[in-house]
Amino acid sequence: MRNRLFPARKLPADGEVDLRTPISAFGRYDLLEKLGDSKDAELFVARSDGFEGLFRLAALRRLKASRCSDVMLVSRFIEEARLAVRVEGPGTVSVDDFGRVGGVYFIAFELIDGISLAELLRSLAERRQRLDPRAAAFIARAVARALDAAHRTRGADGELIGIAHGNLCPKNVLVTRDGRIKVKGFAAPSLFRHQGGPLASGLAGLACMAPELLGADAQQGDVEPSPRTDLWSLGALLHELLTGRPLFAGATPAEIAAAVCSVPILPPSARAPGIAAALDVAVDEALVRAPTERACDARVWARGLEEPLAGFGEDELRA
């Protein structure tokens, strides 16, 4: 299934050099392919100029020149780069470089040869297939471990920084071609407090855009994402991986927000028979509507996924 769901390889194999003619040069990078474009930034496949014939590919995101005069935007961009370095680990997308070329700021990330869970779920839906429950549990466990490492990140003073994800959804979880799981898009509290920040104006803003990610937390007084909101998001993600459908349905964010607060949450096995009881329990523990009654330790929660994965080695689960 993996070979059918993944697109044809576009990146060179290990040990090969991408010799494509660049679109343009940017500092010591050659920009080979544009991957994305937004109001504020552009994303490229970039090739470093190398040393002694050694080259490296990266995913380079740069602010648009017209936006680099926005002091608040630049400040957030710099803070995002600093934060990404702090949360680096096997389950996150690492930062290769950060800097400025001709007044334009950029971040060069590890280039992932793979697809997002959003793409994976879409491909499965087109084929009228569902993800193997063991694969869903394996992905959720890997995401939980990445979340836990970020939640436990401390600053130079030894105190917890207070990192949360706040936007944990299928497009921000990547599956590499060899079956590794990578989470991108972590944020620190200061990023949420900025008006007009990357997640609108904090938790309430995100709840308006994608209420299924944060549950009823915004309506119950929480003002910014936290480990508890991340755990809700992880439960919603696992539910979707197991069933192939979003947790809540609605034509507008307002309709989804109403469903988040009132529609009964059925266990995954009610939508997709054959799912192990342990997975139903794990989802139920994460999708507790009252934030104060919900667990906040992703590492402890992930232990509930061990039973469905028992007897399988890491390489088997990746495959």
Side-chain angles (χ1 to χ4, degrees):
M1 179 179 293
R2 180 178 59 181
N3 292 335
R4 294 199 301 273
L5 293 175
F6 277 75
R9 180 187 289 272
K10 296 178 65 176
L11 302 178
D14 291 342
E16 296 180 350
V17 177
D18 192 328
L19 297 176
R20 283 180 288 176
T21 302
I23 300 170
S24 63
F26 181 70
R28 68 185 188 88
Y29 292 93
D30 288 331
L31 305 182
L32 303 179
E33 177 186 355
K34 179 176 279 193
L35 298 175
D37 195 340
S38 68
K39 180 183 75 172
D40 298 325
E42 302 167 292
L43 181 65
F44 298 88
V45 174
R47 179 180 61 210
S48 64
D49 57 9
F51 176 73
E52 293 295 332
L54 298 177
F55 294 88
R56 182 169 185 178
L57 295 180
L60 187 145
R61 183 154 62 89
R62 69 178 183 186
L63 290 180
K64 292 184 174 178
S66 61
R67 302 290 290 145
C68 288
S69 59
D70 185 327
V71 176
M72 187 71 76
L73 177 64
V74 170
S75 175
R76 289 198 305 268
F77 194 77
I78 294 172
E79 186 168 2
E80 179 185 349
R82 291 173 175 166
L83 181 67
V85 171
R86 285 195 174 275
V87 300
E88 277 188 2
T92 57
V93 178
S94 62
V95 174
D96 291 338
D97 195 9
F98 169 71
R100 184 174 61 180
V101 175
V104 174
Y105 290 87
F106 74 92
I107 307 174
F109 294 95
E110 169 189 12
L111 183 61
I112 302 298
D113 182 15
I115 58 177
S116 70
L117 286 186
E119 294 170 301
L120 180 67
L121 288 167
R122 186 163 56 247
S123 294
L124 286 166
E126 290 170 354
R127 292 164 172 78
R128 298 188 178 182
Q129 296 175 330
R130 280 193 297 115
L131 196 64
D132 186 301
R134 293 166 298 179
F138 172 70
I139 292 169
R141 185 181 67 177
V143 173
R145 289 173 174 174
L147 289 175
D148 180 69
H151 294 161
R152 296 177 188 275
T153 301
R154 298 180 182 273
D157 58 1
E159 297 296 318
L160 290 173
I161 295 177
I163 294 173
H165 195 288
N167 194 16
L168 185 66
C169 57
K171 73 176 182 179
N172 281 330
V173 179
L174 307 176
V175 183
T176 69
R177 199 174 293 273
D178 61 357
R180 291 174 295 122
I181 310 302
K182 295 278 189 174
V183 181
K184 65 177 183 175
F186 286 94
S190 54
L191 287 175
F192 295 105
R193 293 178 190 133
H194 285 314
Q195 180 68 28
L199 300 181
S201 54
L203 184 59
L206 182 59
C208 291
M209 294 187 297
E212 71 279 8
L213 296 181
L214 301 174
D217 296 27
Q219 289 86 349
Q220 297 190 29
D222 282 1
V223 294
E224 61 190 32
S226 69
R228 282 192 169 90
T229 56
D230 280 351
L231 195 60
W232 168 281
S233 300
L234 182 51
L237 181 71
L238 178 55
H239 196 289
E240 185 170 355
L241 290 174
L242 291 167
T243 64
R245 292 185 288 172
L247 179 58
F248 298 105
T252 65
E255 289 181 10
I256 295 174
V260 165
C261 294
S262 60
V263 173
I265 299 174
L266 299 176
S269 61
R271 290 185 173 183
I275 291 173
L279 293 175
D280 277 345
V281 171
V283 169
D284 184 63
E285 289 178 348
L287 296 179
V288 175
R289 281 192 161 102
T292 56
E293 297 177 12
R294 187 186 316 138
C296 63
D297 192 316
R299 179 169 55 183
V300 172
W301 177 83
R303 293 173 187 165
L305 303 176
E306 295 298 337
E307 181 183 327
L309 299 177
F312 295 92
E314 190 79 7
D315 291 341
E316 291 178 280
L317 291 168
R318 283 188 180 184

